[in-house]
Each structure stands twice: as C-alpha cells, then as structure tokens.
Amino acid sequence: MDQTNRLKEQQRGIRLTVAGTLLFVSAMVGLVAVAEPLYKLFCQVTGYNGTPRIAEGQSSPGGVAETMTVRFDANVNREIAWKFKPAVNQVDVRIGEEMLAFYEATNTSSEPLVGTATFNVMPERVAPYFNKIQCFCFTEQVLKPGESVQMPVTFFIDPDMLKDQYARDIKTVTLSYTFFLNQDQSKAKALSATQANYSN
Amino acid sequence: MADTHAHAHHDHGDHGEHAHHPTGWRRWLYSTNHKDIGTLYLVLAIIASFVGVGFSMMMRLELAEPGLQFIHDQHFYNVILTAHGLIMVFFVVMPALIGGFGNWFIPLMIGCPDMAFPRMNNISFWLTAAGLILVALSTVVGGGAGTGWTVYPPLSNHTFHPGMSVDFAILSLHLAGAGSILGAINFITTIVNMRAPGMTFHRMPLFIWAMFITAFLLLLALPVLAGALTMLLTDRNFHTAFFEPSGGGDPIFWQHLFWFFGHPEVYIMIIPAFGIISQVVSTFSKKPVFGYLGMAYAMASIGVVGFVVWAHHMFTVGFNVETRAYFIIATMVIAVPTGIKIFSWLATMWGGSIEFKTPMLYAFGFIFLFVVGGVTGVTLSNAPVDMAFHDTYFVIAHFHYVLSIAAMFAIFTGMYYWLPKMCGKMYNEKLGQWQFWITFVGVNILFFPQHFLGMAGMPRRIADYPDAFAGWNMVSSSGAVVSLVGALLFFYILWDTLRNGAKAPANPWGIGATTLEWTVDSPAPFHTHEILPEIKAEPAGHH
C-alpha cells in the first residue's frame, strides 16, 4: 500500500513538473513571438540604433540660440536603379526650429519602381531628440522611368537635448537614408498598366 | 471476468519475455531503454564527429600554406566551416554530453529504473538523427549553406543564399531543437520526481546538478532559436521582412535573437562537462568534492547570468557606451562562479590520494584548457579589445579552447570513466594514457598559435591569408595532424576495448567512486534499480 501511495504521489509530481516545464517553454515562445514589435518599440522609445522620433502633425517648439549642423547622407541599395542625393550636403539649424530639407531621387531604369527608404540618425545620442514632422520615408515612393522628384523632409531638434549631459555637447548630427526596392511592386505594375492603356 | 483477467495476465507474461528484451533493429529503432538511447546518442555523436572533424581537417589542409591549394571556391570553404560548426555543436558535443551521458547516467546515478517518459526519449533521439541528415543535406543542395553557424542575415537571406541549403539547415536546427526540448522536459521531470528515497536535492551527484541546470537552459534558450529561425525561414520564403531593411526590418534584430540563444548554448555545452569533471576529480582524488553546494550553485548562477550577457558577441554593431559597459561587466561577473569551480576542483585534489588514470589525466587536461580559454574569454569581454579582435583567429582560439577542445576533453573523460560501466570491459590503460598525451599536445599545437595569428590580425572564415601568417598556420595545421592521430587512436582503443577488453568489475575505480552507478554490475544490466536504493548518508560524492 505504501508503494502504491508513493507511486501515486510520484505520478502527481510528474504531471506538475511537466506542466511547469511546458509553462517555461510557452513563456519563451510567447516572448519570441512578440519580440519583433517589442524590439521596434524599444528602438523608437530609446533612439536605439539611431531611430529618430516621429512627430507627425506636431509643430516645433521654436528656436533657441544654440545651433547645430545637420548633415545629409543618401544611399541606394544595389537592387534599385535609382540615383539619390541630398539637395544640399549640410545646413546649420537653430535648435528647436523647424527645418525643411530636400533630397532628389531619379529613376534611371526603364521601368517604374517602388522604393522605400530606411533612415537613422548618428550619433545615436541625438536620435531621441531628432523629431521628423514630415518625411518622404513615411510612405513608399513610386518613380516612373527617368522621372526625378524632390523629396521633402521636415524636422526639428528638441531643445531638451541641451539638458541631456550626454548629448548637449554634440554639434553635428547626420541624417542618413537608404533606398531599397520595395518588395511590393504592385503600384509600379499598376502604373505601367495605365501607361500601356494610354499609349493604346 | 475471470477470462479477461487470465488473458491480461498472459499478456503480461509475454511482455516480460519479448518486449523487455527486443532484439535486432527493433531494439534500437523502438528503444525506450535509457541505456540503449544513451548508446544511440553516443554512436550518433561518433558518426557526426567523423564528418565534423573531417571538415575541420579540410580547412586546416587548405590553411597550411598561403594561397589556394585545394579549395579554390571561397563559398565552398564557407560551406565547410558552416557544416563543421553546426555539426560539432548540435550533433557531436550536445548529443554526446547531454543525450549520451545524460540518458545513460541520470537514472543510474539518482537510483531510478528509467527516465520519466521512455517513449518520448525515443522520439528525442530520432528527431536529432533526422536533424543530422538535414544538416548534412544542407551542404550539398542548392550550392550549400555558407553562412557560418550564426546564420546572420543578410548573408543568409534569399538574395545571397537563393538555394534550398539554408532552409535545410534551418529545418535541421528546428528538429534538433525540438528533440532537445523534449529531452530537457524528460530530464527535469526525472530528476525532480524520481530520485531514490533519501536522495535530496542537496545529496545529488554534481553530474545530476549539471544535467538539471543544462535542461533548464535548453528549455529557455531553444524556443528563442526556434522563433528566430522561423522568422528567417519566412523572410526567405514568404516575403516577410523581420530582418530585411527593405521592408522595415533590421538584421541586428537577428543577432540579438540568435545570441540570446547562442550564449546560453555555450553553457549548455560546457555545464555537463563541469558535472563529469567534478565526478572524475573526486573519484580519482579519493575525496569528496570540495565545496559541494558552492559547486552546484556556481553552475546555477553561471546558467542564470548566461542569459543576460548575449550582446558581448556583437560589440561591433555600434552600441552606445553604457550598453557596452553593462555587457562587459555582466560578462566578467561570470568569471567569478567559474573561478569557484576551478578552485574547488583544485581544492578537491589538494591532499587527495590522486591516481593518474586516463579519465583523471583528461580531467586535468580539461581544467588546463578551460582556464586558458577562460582567460582569453575575459580578455575578449572587454569591448575595446573585442573591437580589435572581433572576427579574428583570436576568437577562434578562444572558443575552441573552451568549447571544442575542453568540451571534447570532457567527452573523453566521460568515455574512459564510464566505458567499463557501459560495455563491461576495461580499456587498455597504457594506450589510453598515450592517447591523452598525443591529443593534449596536438590540440595545443593546433590552437595556441591561433592566438598569435588573431593578435596579428588574421581574419576568420577566409580560405587564404597573407604570407606573413604562413609560419604559425603551418604549426597549427601540424597540430591538427597530431590531434587527428589522437582521435583515430581513440577509435582504435574503443574497438580494442569492445573486442579484447578484460572484464570490468562493478566498481573498477575503488573507494573514490561513491555514486550509485558503481553499485550495479558492469556492464549495467538492461534493467537497473528495480528495487530502489535508499540513500541515508551524506551527499553522493561525499564520504
């Protein structure tokens, strides 16, 4: 009888332990399932990886005396046949002041292409204070063959940066974009279709 | 009613006659016996080691001299080094230390008849075996996977590896991972619930502690790898963009996920080794382990801290200085429990009546190699140093000292120590000691010069190098030849033991061997501990 009791007890223990281990596994599976949105959120909140703030629809707080140099950098992934460069290489801005800058993109291929730009800000320290009010990178861009466009970006640098002891001494910040071929080329296809219709 | 009962009884009788001693291929394919499954894992590790070591010999052959002599295609070189890494990690070290010794000796050492879920144990093994076949296929289909074992995108995405090779490697790791998770659940359940009466947690042998902690690491780390691999798989095949910047993803995100698994993985490979070394040092010093509880909790704390240091593998991705400072400090903290282990082994030997049998020589070898690799580990944990050494042969030398040769030495330790129990025959002691010295000298000639090459700036994963690195590369390749002789001699010793070995007594190691596996016959009978042993005295390994 003692033996049977012991075995019963053991069976109960085994079931509990298995439940516990499965809990561990499902917790880790759950964690990795939400890892991607969490990682993005983390980057946006902390400016990690040079992720600037998106301040769509907000207005700038107004300039203060200090100025900063903002440099513009443009890159194109080899899969997309575009030329892409900033209209000016750098500007001096008053901190807190709203600024409008332009990039120029040209489709050098013979077909319409949809591109998407990724962006970051270096040094990373400035990223949480770099606010983009409006940017071409927020939407995908469609360029017809040979077409050139001016792409605007509106931004301001949050004066709170001057209170951050780790960021306040930085005088130059680089805003960088890289254009990639969008995996979804349906808009380009639609464009070629309409053009084909017109030429008919 | 009476009829049914008689029938049931008859059935049971049959069961005893046949199913308990299945023969031929059924014994192995359908095996639910922990000893047979342990043997299967060890055989799998041996087969995989032929392939994994073969690839490393091809690399050392090519690297013996500057210029391209044998391998003219750099992608093929990448394929070889990828397969070498994946096979050695997932199909040699893990199956041998965890599946092999774990299955064999957890039930024997805690005094229970078998694992909690014998049939799940079977599927764990066969999933791992299927994984090995898939990883082998990944080298030949679609041009081969040349991604390195870290499978970083963008190199591993469909642009740079358009064939099916990387998909095969991913699915291989999925299978091996699933097998390991099931195995870990089995280990934990067995250890928690099926210890012999009187064997409290604080009386378990340190090898059991090691397997227990390893099982938890597997349970927590492998789901993350599985998730990351699934994202990579969908990125490659279903146009998701987890790691694709063109769709808003981030390749660095892969590195975080991979190393969140990858760093615990290195402890998954080395903590079982700690367990084996503790048993052997105690046995051959004829003393209980010094600081038993400290040893157990040192392993536990290595396991815990191992989960919060992953980014030291990615110091060059551009972290800010606070992030680097944190990961430097957290990484260095691990040296403390590791130091506790090293000093406790030395203190166990201190004043002991040490017998230099082959397993003890290997335990010494392990401690030496692990200390060398540990010291270079502390060197590399400094982000500024790592910036210079990143992706050089210094890193290769570091992780081969700790993971490959120290872990291999632990496998050899376990093989020599437990071979009499597993096959019932004694190996040739003289040959065993020769094998140790040849291997010890060989691996040090092989890997020590790689520190110099790395400090001089030789990059890893490249088949060619400037003439300035020629000298030490030739030395390193010569060491590879010596190590190969050692490895082949081991297989000869194994064959010789099975064929000609003298009959081993139940306990061939004398009064130092106090754990329960030495109380059963050699070879351990098909069924052991059917009558549960009772533990009344001090913790196992204590006198």
Side-chain angles (χ1 to χ4, degrees):
Chain A
M1 201 57 218
D2 198 39
Q3 181 75 4
T4 358
N5 268 342
R6 200 178 166 277
L7 278 177
K8 254 189 198 149
E9 191 76 351
Q10 196 181 62
Q11 282 305 319
R12 218 176 68 87
I14 285 176
R15 273 198 293 273
L16 273 176
T17 317
V18 172
T21 51
L22 289 179
L23 204 68
F24 270 109
V25 175
S26 17
M28 293 315 285
V29 169
L31 203 63
V32 74
V34 297
E36 201 254 355
L38 273 183
Y39 180 74
K40 281 202 171 138
L41 186 70
F42 175 76
C43 291
Q44 274 162 17
V45 172
T46 60
Y48 185 84
N49 269 1
T51 315
R53 283 289 159 86
I54 292 173
E56 257 181 304
Q58 291 180 30
S59 54
S60 64
V64 295
E66 283 86 349
T67 61
M68 237 182 138
T69 306
V70 178
R71 302 172 61 177
F72 301 104
D73 173 47
N75 307 282
V76 184
N77 181 262
R78 60 172 162 182
E79 279 180 35
I80 185 165
W82 282 13
K83 260 194 208 150
F84 178 50
K85 61 178 176 54
V88 289
N89 284 332
Q90 62 179 56
V91 289
D92 288 338
V93 291
R94 295 236 310 262
I95 291 176
E97 187 182 41
E98 191 174 307
M99 188 74 199
L100 175 67
F102 285 97
Y103 277 75
E104 290 166 11
T106 310
N107 183 351
T108 57
S109 77
S110 53
E111 51 183 349
L113 291 171
V114 185
T116 314
T118 62
F119 50 91
N120 71 351
V121 167
M122 282 291 141
E124 271 186 27
R125 300 260 182 238
V126 185
Y129 306 102
F130 199 99
N131 290 269
K132 289 194 195 177
I133 296 170
Q134 195 199 15
C135 176
F136 57 88
C137 54
F138 295 163
T139 51
E140 50 188 30
Q141 304 290 322
V142 193
L143 289 190
K144 285 177 241 161
E147 187 187 9
S148 277
V149 288
Q150 296 252 318
M151 295 178 167
V153 49
T154 321
F155 63 89
F156 66 91
I157 296 162
D158 193 334
D160 277 353
M161 190 185 105
L162 298 169
K163 294 180 197 147
D164 181 347
Q165 58 166 331
Y166 296 109
R168 64 183 174 211
D169 293 333
I170 297 169
K171 295 289 171 224
T172 306
V173 56
T174 305
L175 175 62
S176 174
Y177 289 95
T178 306
F179 255 106
F180 288 90
L181 186 68
N182 200 312
Q183 284 179 355
D184 176 14
Q185 289 291 324
S186 53
K187 283 193 184 162
K189 286 204 187 88
L191 198 63
S192 352
T194 20
Q195 276 178 340
N197 280 342
Y198 281 132
S199 55
N200 282 343
Chain B
M1 187 68 197
D3 234 41
T4 333
H5 184 78
H7 183 73
H9 191 77
H10 178 74
D11 228 44
H12 187 75
D14 257 359
H15 198 62
E17 286 285 303
H18 302 289
H20 276 196
H21 293 281
T23 49
W25 60 272
R26 278 191 186 81
R27 170 175 173 185
W28 302 105
L29 187 65
Y30 300 160
S31 183
T32 55
N33 178 287
H34 72 99
K35 301 182 189 79
D36 281 356
I37 291 174
T39 306
L40 283 171
Y41 268 111
L42 289 174
V43 170
L44 176 101
I46 287 173
I47 293 170
S49 76
F50 284 129
V51 186
V53 171
F55 282 148
S56 65
M57 290 300 149
M58 286 164 77
M59 286 187 277
R60 274 329 312 174
L61 184 67
E62 175 53 52
L63 290 169
E65 284 179 12
L68 297 175
Q69 287 84 32
F70 302 98
I71 299 170
H72 296 280
D73 176 8
Q74 173 65 45
H75 178 70
F76 180 62
Y77 184 81
N78 287 346
V79 171
I80 292 176
L81 68 87
T82 305
H84 168 72
L86 290 176
I87 289 175
M88 295 309 274
V89 169
F90 290 97
F91 301 102
V92 178
V93 174
M94 283 173 70
L97 286 175
I98 304 170
F101 295 135
N103 274 310
W104 252 100
F105 292 104
I106 287 175
L108 280 178
M109 287 169 104
I110 66 173
C112 68
D114 207 312
M115 302 298 278
F117 304 109
R119 206 167 290 279
M120 191 163 89
N121 213 1
N122 175 290
I123 193 71
S124 289
F125 171 76
W126 288 109
L127 282 172
T128 312
L132 176 60
I133 293 168
L134 282 184
V135 79
L137 284 175
S138 83
T139 62
V140 287
V141 298
T147 58
W149 86 288
T150 52
V151 210
Y152 279 6
L155 181 57
S156 60
N157 71 15
H158 51 83
T159 311
F160 298 101
H161 273 87
M164 286 190 298
S165 52
V166 175
D167 302 316
F168 270 81
I170 288 172
L171 292 174
S172 156
L173 297 189
H174 268 147
L175 287 185
S180 291
I181 290 176
L182 293 179
I185 292 175
N186 216 343
F187 280 15
I188 291 172
T189 312
T190 310
I191 294 171
V192 169
N193 297 292
M194 295 171 68
R195 282 165 288 123
M199 182 174 283
T200 57
F201 267 98
H202 284 175
R203 284 178 180 177
M204 294 194 311
L206 282 173
F207 178 69
I208 304 299
W209 268 106
M211 298 312 295
F212 188 56
I213 292 158
T214 305
F216 270 104
L217 297 189
L218 286 166
L219 220 51
L220 295 172
L222 282 171
V224 178
L225 175 70
L229 287 170
T230 309
M231 292 183 211
L232 187 61
L233 197 69
T234 59
D235 267 18
R236 287 176 52 78
N237 298 296
F238 305 111
H239 296 292
T240 56
F242 291 105
F243 312 120
E244 287 282 336
S246 57
D250 184 359
I252 303 295
F253 177 48
W254 165 268
Q255 298 190 20
H256 283 290
L257 287 177
F258 180 84
W259 286 113
F260 187 83
F261 145 80
H263 198 75
E265 171 68 20
V266 305
Y267 296 118
I268 286 166
M269 287 189 274
I270 211 64
I271 287 178
F274 289 164
I276 295 173
I277 300 304
S278 298
Q279 301 304 136
V280 169
V281 166
S282 159
T283 298
F284 291 94
S285 306
K286 303 194 182 68
K287 276 178 67 192
V289 174
F290 177 88
Y292 165 85
L293 279 183
M295 290 291 255
Y297 287 102
M299 284 192 282
S301 55
I302 290 172
V304 171
V305 183
F307 273 99
V308 292
V309 298
W310 75 91
H312 67 216
H313 295 271
M314 355 174 351
F315 276 143
T316 55
V317 303
F319 293 128
N320 60 32
V321 75
E322 291 97 326
T323 311
R324 273 178 283 160
Y326 162 73
F327 281 106
I328 291 171
I329 293 163
T331 305
M332 285 184 175
V333 162
I334 296 184
V336 175
T338 312
I340 291 175
K341 299 205 67 70
I342 303 285
F343 286 115
S344 295
W345 285 322
L346 298 182
T348 307
M349 295 178 204
W350 186 263
S353 165
I354 300 177
E355 218 178 338
F356 284 102
K357 293 270 175 61
T358 311
M360 187 59 168
L361 285 175
Y362 264 108
F364 263 91
F366 172 90
I367 295 170
F368 173 78
L369 297 171
F370 195 78
V371 167
V372 173
V375 167
T376 53
V378 175
T379 309
L380 284 170
S381 73
N382 291 280
V385 178
D386 183 74
M387 296 282 180
F389 287 163
H390 187 82
D391 266 350
T392 68
Y393 264 79
F394 192 85
V395 178
I396 301 273
H398 156 69
F399 76 73
H400 278 86
Y401 259 88
V402 276
L403 280 190
S404 73
I405 53 180
M408 283 312 291
F409 268 46
I411 294 173
F412 282 133
T413 310
M415 283 302 279
Y416 282 110
Y417 182 57
W418 281 318
L419 200 56
K421 185 56 61 188
M422 293 191 285
C423 72
K425 291 175 176 173
M426 292 303 289
Y427 62 88
N428 183 325
E429 183 60 44
K430 198 172 208 171
L431 275 182
Q433 298 199 6
W434 268 100
Q435 198 265 338
F436 166 77
W437 285 109
I438 292 170
T439 312
F440 185 73
V441 170
V443 294
N444 279 293
I445 297 176
L446 167 53
F447 287 111
F448 208 81
Q450 297 187 1
H451 290 116
F452 312 146
L453 289 168
M455 283 194 273
M458 179 169 162
R460 61 191 283 205
R461 293 175 171 159
I462 310 277
D464 194 4
Y465 50 84
D467 289 356
F469 300 136
W472 286 122
N473 268 300
M474 180 50 96
V475 173
S476 182
S477 288
S478 322
V481 175
V482 180
S483 311
L484 183 64
V485 172
L488 293 176
L489 183 56
F490 175 75
F491 291 119
Y492 171 75
I493 292 172
L494 206 56
W495 177 79
D496 179 58
T497 310
L498 294 174
R499 208 181 140 86
N500 308 317
K503 166 107 185 69
N507 176 5
W509 307 127
I511 57 159
T514 55
T515 39
L516 284 177
E517 79 268 33
W518 306 111
T519 61
V520 303
D521 272 346
S522 295
F526 202 66
H527 296 295
T528 40
H529 296 317
E530 282 165 312
I531 297 161
L532 300 182
E534 199 145 340
I535 287 83
K536 291 183 181 118
E538 279 294 282
H542 290 219
H543 291 280

